[in-house]
Amino acid sequence: MNSSINLTEILIVNCAGIFCMLFLFYSKYSNKSVRRVGDILYNCLIALTIIMLSLETVSFYWDGAPGKAVYVMQNIVNAMLIVGTTITGYLWCLFVEFKIHHSLKLVRKRACFLVIPILINSVFVILDCFGTGIMFSISEQNVYQRGRISVLSYIFLAFYYIYSICIVYRAKHRGTQMQFFPVYAFVLPCVFGTCVQGLQYGISTGWFAVAIALMFVEFQLQKKEAFVDDLSGLYNRKYLDFYFSQMLLKKSSGIYGIMMDINLFKKINDEYGHTTGDDAIRTVGKLLSKWVDNNDRLIRFAGDEFIIICLNKTEESVVEMIDRIKKNISDYNDSNKKPYQLSFSIGYAKCPDENADLDNFLREMDSRMYEDKERFRQSIGMANIR
């Protein structure tokens, strides 16, 4: 064995990483009965990390050990470790794509493009198994040595991490509510662990950092799930309570609230079924996310009611936003092929800077929205409708 390697330290660190991943894997399977694409990709990341931690331990153990069989196995194991590094970045990018866009079609499209670095890396490491020394080599003493362009693996990994950050940034720029998405919770620990191990061979921090990052991601996603409505993809009432308390602590000013209710939503459910009603809720969530300013908070309050919390706004800008939403929904109705038409009853209120109370704030918004609902009822000559 290579005397420069502290095998005991490596064994402890990697076993700790494996234990964390097994615990995470068990907790996810015991708490979830539905296996969605996002879950599958995340579980693949967990499984890959367990395999790579195990292979890395074996690689360090065999480093410098005598024997032709060891030479062969060292080539195979280190080739798998190098390719596994890029596969981790690949799976992470697909996971981020799906969690943000929820589109299997988009994930498949991106997968074809993102697999290119893996293919390049795989070709090089296969050649290295025949002694080219491009990415790595195994000496006559069966000691692992980095190849002439081994930095290419780090470049590929950096590409994947930057790509995932760009996905999240682009989603935020387009108005998607991404406050709790854990892209940095994964990327930063991985970058730190990879850099440390890259600078000093014999230190096992790379894959252990991936294990810790996946734990961080899971904790952050659980926080996100607690605050996000599954159907609409918007924040829920629990988040409203949290956000309002944060605004009070920060003593925010210029707070306005807009309450919206889908007109004739009961009729949509009655005529087309609850599946179509659910589609209407999802559609409204997507549309409002595009139309509302990035700094505002969009919440599905209850049923077919939505709330927008605006900071540092004037009454004029709030009225302009409401007019813009009404125009946009009218334009959408003219161009879409849905069996239903969408419209909103909308009311807004200003939160007092002193002695602010959420219940009173909601009550005033609801009262203004009800007035708009009455005007809508009168305009179509119907009473007692939703």
Side-chain angles (χ1 to χ4, degrees), residues 148-375:
R148 298 187 299 274
I149 57 170
S150 59
V151 69
L152 188 62
S153 288
Y154 299 101
I155 294 173
F156 287 152
L157 197 58
F159 161 74
Y160 285 127
Y161 291 156
I162 293 171
Y163 181 87
S164 68
I165 292 172
C166 290
I167 296 171
V168 175
Y169 176 81
R170 189 165 61 245
K172 287 182 177 179
H173 184 71
R174 292 176 178 175
T176 307
Q177 304 195 84
M178 302 300 300
Q179 182 175 347
F180 294 106
F181 194 82
V183 62
Y184 291 109
F186 182 83
V187 171
L188 293 181
C190 290
V191 169
F192 175 78
T194 301
C195 288
V196 170
Q197 188 161 339
L199 293 172
Q200 181 62 54
Y201 178 73
I203 297 178
S204 180
T205 58
W207 287 106
F208 179 72
V210 174
I212 296 301
L214 288 172
M215 296 286 286
F216 288 165
V217 168
E218 180 64 15
F219 296 151
Q220 196 76 352
L221 287 176
Q222 288 178 1
K223 182 179 181 181
K224 175 180 178 290
E225 288 175 0
F227 282 143
V228 174
D229 171 63
D230 287 336
L231 184 59
S232 65
L234 307 179
Y235 293 127
N236 56 22
R237 171 61 194 267
K238 185 175 182 180
Y239 176 78
L240 175 61
D241 296 334
F242 163 79
Y243 185 60
F244 192 79
S245 64
Q246 292 297 304
M247 289 191 299
L248 295 183
L249 289 174
K250 295 177 182 178
K251 298 182 179 179
S252 302
S253 59
I255 304 172
Y256 281 85
I258 302 171
M259 184 175 285
M260 311 168 58
D261 179 276
I262 302 176
N263 292 323
L264 303 175
F265 183 70
K266 185 176 184 300
K267 184 179 178 182
I268 294 174
N269 277 325
D270 291 343
E271 289 191 6
Y272 305 107
H274 288 280
T275 300
T276 303
D278 289 346
D279 179 72
I281 295 293
R282 281 191 292 267
T283 299
V284 169
K286 291 177 182 178
L287 293 175
L288 291 178
S289 294
K290 296 177 182 178
W291 300 338
V292 170
D293 295 340
N294 292 344
N295 293 329
D296 299 333
R297 291 293 177 264
L298 186 54
I299 296 151
R300 184 189 178 194
F301 183 62
D304 60 327
E305 293 182 353
F306 300 84
I307 289 177
I308 305 170
I309 300 295
C310 309
L311 294 180
N312 303 316
K313 287 282 198 303
T314 63
E315 185 171 2
E316 290 77 12
S317 63
V318 171
V319 172
E320 288 176 2
M321 180 189 291
I322 293 173
D323 291 340
R324 186 169 68 249
I325 290 173
K326 289 185 175 182
K327 180 183 183 302
N328 287 342
I329 200 65
S330 177
D331 293 342
Y332 174 79
N333 287 329
D334 292 338
S335 61
N336 92 94
K337 298 180 181 179
K338 303 282 187 181
Y340 53 81
Q341 296 279 292
L342 291 171
S343 68
F344 302 115
S345 293
I346 304 178
Y348 72 93
K350 186 178 188 302
C351 183
D353 294 334
E354 301 293 336
N355 301 318
D357 178 79
L358 180 58
D359 289 337
N360 291 335
F361 188 33
L362 293 171
R363 195 175 296 115
E364 187 173 356
M365 279 189 276
D366 185 67
S367 177
R368 299 281 184 86
M369 184 189 72
Y370 185 77
E371 292 173 3
D372 195 40
K373 176 72 73 175
E374 284 296 312
R375 288 190 289 270

Side-chain angles (χ1 to χ4, degrees), residues 30-245:
S30 61
N31 293 331
K32 292 183 179 180
S33 58
V34 179
R35 299 289 173 259
R36 293 169 291 189
V37 174
D39 296 321
I40 293 172
L41 289 170
Y42 191 78
N43 289 335
C44 286
L45 279 167
I46 295 174
L48 179 63
T49 304
I50 293 173
I51 294 171
M52 293 298 105
L53 284 165
S54 303
L55 290 178
E56 185 181 60
T57 305
V58 171
S59 175
F60 279 124
Y61 178 77
W62 278 339
D63 199 70
K68 184 64 176 178
V70 172
Y71 175 82
V72 173
M73 294 306 298
Q74 276 288 69
N75 275 284
I76 294 173
V77 168
N78 281 284
M80 293 173 66
L81 285 167
I82 292 173
V83 174
T85 299
T86 48
I87 292 176
T88 302
Y90 173 76
L91 291 174
W92 170 248
C93 287
L94 296 184
F95 174 75
V96 174
E97 285 277 15
F98 184 80
K99 294 297 288 187
I100 291 177
H101 301 293
H102 299 281
S103 171
L104 183 56
K105 181 179 179 181
L106 180 62
V107 169
R108 287 172 175 166
K109 181 180 178 181
R110 294 286 189 267
C112 296
F113 161 70
L114 291 171
V115 78
I116 294 174
I118 296 177
L119 297 177
I120 296 173
N121 226 14
S122 298
V123 170
F124 285 155
V125 297
I126 290 173
L127 293 174
D128 283 341
C129 290
F130 297 95
T132 58
I134 299 173
M135 304 296 287
F136 77 96
S137 63
I138 305 298
S139 70
E140 294 181 357
Q141 293 75 35
N142 290 341
V143 174
Y144 169 87
Q145 296 174 336
R146 291 170 179 168
R148 298 187 299 274
I149 57 170
S150 59
V151 69
L152 188 62
S153 288
Y154 299 101
I155 294 173
F156 287 152
L157 197 58
F159 161 74
Y160 285 127
Y161 291 156
I162 293 171
Y163 181 87
S164 68
I165 292 172
C166 290
I167 296 171
V168 175
Y169 176 81
R170 189 165 61 245
K172 287 182 177 179
H173 184 71
R174 292 176 178 175
T176 307
Q177 304 195 84
M178 302 300 300
Q179 182 175 347
F180 294 106
F181 194 82
V183 62
Y184 291 109
F186 182 83
V187 171
L188 293 181
C190 290
V191 169
F192 175 78
T194 301
C195 288
V196 170
Q197 188 161 339
L199 293 172
Q200 181 62 54
Y201 178 73
I203 297 178
S204 180
T205 58
W207 287 106
F208 179 72
V210 174
I212 296 301
L214 288 172
M215 296 286 286
F216 288 165
V217 168
E218 180 64 15
F219 296 151
Q220 196 76 352
L221 287 176
Q222 288 178 1
K223 182 179 181 181
K224 175 180 178 290
E225 288 175 0
F227 282 143
V228 174
D229 171 63
D230 287 336
L231 184 59
S232 65
L234 307 179
Y235 293 127
N236 56 22
R237 171 61 194 267
K238 185 175 182 180
Y239 176 78
L240 175 61
D241 296 334
F242 163 79
Y243 185 60
F244 192 79
S245 64

